[in-house]
Amino acid sequence: MILIFRKFGFLVPIITILSFLFLKILMEESDLYTGKNFLTDALISSGVILLLLGVKLNKKNIKNKTSHTFFFINIEYWSAIYFLVSAYLHI
């Protein structure tokens, strides 16, 4: 699979995977987390991190007019995608 990114856009899959792993380790012995709850919580937590990171990184690049993207989508917009997917899965 070819990953298309610009600047720090490669952090999108890394943060997503780390969020899933961290939540799995943190809630390993809890019976509250079923498959759907775990997936939605992991997407929401990685979405929040990506939103904060994307706003901070792309705020610095206003002069250059180049942004940090992953598959041609800005990092902060990936958080909206994650929020929508987690809302859909939660229903």
Side-chain angles (χ1 to χ4, degrees):
M1 181 173 161
I2 298 174
L3 299 178
I4 303 169
F5 63 90
R6 184 180 300 150
K7 295 190 176 185
F8 285 110
F10 68 90
L11 291 176
V12 172
I14 292 173
I15 288 174
T16 304
I17 292 169
L18 289 177
S19 176
F20 274 84
L21 290 175
F22 180 72
L23 194 61
K24 179 68 175 170
I25 291 169
L26 190 65
M27 299 296 172
E28 191 170 73
E29 297 182 11
S30 178
D31 292 334
L32 297 175
Y33 280 91
T34 59
K36 190 166 74 169
N37 290 338
F38 171 75
L39 185 60
T40 57
D41 290 345
L43 284 173
I44 289 172
S45 64
S46 60
V48 169
I49 294 169
L50 288 174
L51 178 66
L52 297 174
L53 182 69
V55 168
K56 182 175 176 125
L57 288 175
N58 286 329
K59 189 176 186 181
K60 294 178 183 178
N61 292 330
I62 294 174
K63 296 175 185 175
N64 298 339
K65 295 185 181 178
T66 59
S67 56
H68 303 274
T69 62
F70 182 68
F71 284 115
F72 308 110
I73 301 173
N74 287 349
I75 292 177
E76 61 267 19
Y77 297 145
W78 277 100
S79 64
I81 293 169
Y82 285 174
F83 293 149
L84 290 173
V85 169
S86 65
Y88 176 75
L89 290 175
H90 190 69
I91 293 175

